[in-house]
Amino acid sequence: MIAIDGPAASGKSTTARRVAQELGFLHLDTGAMYRAFTLKVLRAGKDPGDSESVGALVGVTQIELHRANDALLVLLDGEDVTLAVRGEDVTRAVSTVSSLRCVREAMVREQRRAAGQSDVVAEGRDIGTVVFPDADLKFFMIAGIDARARRRQAELMNRGIRTDLDALAGKIRERDWLDSTRAESPLRKAADAIEIDTSSMTVDEQVALVTGIVRERLGRKGKP
Ligand code: DC
């Protein structure tokens, strides 16, 4: 079990996906799960901060992550919502929904079940601190706000969406603040996590660094 935590656009998703591929591990993108559930809340017309009505939805929701070739598919009650969970509306509401205890409890239960007995690279905000505190290796990825805003801008541009850099930086800062100041499982570096600043690193460099550390600490196959 390898845990990768960090704030939005710190490079953890791309790195986790590629490291999992290289090691032949399962990639568990826990942010995608919170996003899928947030999509359901929005579609149902619920107030994202209303724990009672949002809580009622948790028990009747099924979220699955499926690997299809090199991509990770996100299924919400059987529907492929891989693209929809990256939408602006979901990104705006996801921190509020994921701050609710009832949501976190259900997601963490599902994350532990999904990881099962497999070798996993799990990424999110509370993986090394709460979900898998006994992970074999923990990483905490960070990056400067400029680098993160530029990455998000490029990602959106790839999807044909033009955005203002300052506005993006503002939104990332706001999500950082919400994710790290909430009462339930806030974004925090585990005491035993290895911090990696990706501000001036390419994706290939991040993957090589993490994979190298995993192999050095856990052996060639990345297993303890
Ligand atoms: O990694 P991401 O940007 O896709 O995550 C979306 C949101 O989900 C993030 O802003 C906070 C929440 N999240 C969480 O609370 N705990 C996790 N383990 C993963 C994500």
Side-chain angles (χ1 to χ4, degrees):
M1 164 63 61
I2 295 160
I4 305 184
D5 287 304
S10 56
K12 63 186 188 318
S13 285
T14 319
T15 306
R17 179 168 49 79
R18 294 258 312 263
V19 169
Q21 270 167 13
E22 291 221 2
L23 298 171
F25 283 22
L26 184 82
H27 172 207
L28 190 61
D29 178 352
T30 63
M33 297 172 70
Y34 286 97
R35 284 172 177 273
F37 181 64
T38 301
L39 180 65
K40 178 147 173 170
V41 170
L42 295 178
R43 280 178 173 178
K46 308 283 185 205
D47 171 355
D50 178 358
S51 66
E52 214 162 294
S53 64
V54 169
L57 274 186
V58 178
V60 293
T61 304
Q62 200 187 6
I63 294 166
E64 295 159 274
L65 299 176
H66 278 267
R67 198 155 106 191
N69 300 323
D70 281 350
L72 189 77
L73 297 185
V74 189
L75 302 186
L76 171 64
D77 299 323
E79 177 194 345
D80 182 354
V81 293
T82 311
L83 273 184
V85 300
R86 302 289 151 196
E88 180 60 26
D89 46 349
V90 170
T91 302
R92 205 177 313 118
V94 65
S95 289
T96 305
V97 172
S98 59
S99 69
L100 301 174
R101 177 185 289 188
C102 55
V103 175
R104 303 208 70 79
E105 283 174 353
M107 294 296 151
V108 169
R109 213 178 306 121
E110 180 53 25
Q111 287 155 20
R112 290 183 179 144
R113 196 200 58 75
Q117 300 305 309
S118 326
D119 294 309
V120 176
V121 179
E123 48 127 339
R125 303 292 188 287
D126 59 342
I127 306 302
T129 51
V130 174
V131 188
F132 300 114
D134 297 327
D136 301 305
L137 207 43
K138 300 177 187 177
F139 293 93
F140 193 77
M141 302 190 98
I142 56 163
I145 189 71
D146 286 353
R148 293 160 65 204
R150 251 181 268 114
R151 277 178 201 160
R152 228 349 90 79
Q153 191 181 43
E155 216 176 280
L156 290 166
M157 202 59 204
N158 270 337
R159 298 191 348 232
I161 305 165
R162 205 178 277 276
T163 42
D164 175 72
L165 202 62
D166 288 342
L168 271 182
K171 283 182 191 161
I172 292 175
R173 274 203 190 91
E174 188 187 344
R175 203 139 63 91
D176 278 357
W177 186 80
L178 289 170
D179 293 344
S180 53
T181 58
R182 69 183 177 215
E184 299 291 331
S185 314
L187 167 67
R188 208 161 44 74
K189 179 184 162 200
D192 51 350
I194 300 166
E195 186 168 295
I196 297 179
D197 185 338
T198 67
S199 301
S200 48
M201 292 174 83
T202 64
V203 170
D204 283 347
E205 286 168 344
Q206 293 164 37
V207 174
L209 179 63
V210 171
T211 312
I213 296 174
V214 171
R215 291 195 164 128
E216 182 192 307
R217 303 273 180 99
L218 305 180
R220 290 299 316 154
K221 294 200 159 136
K223 295 173 188 174

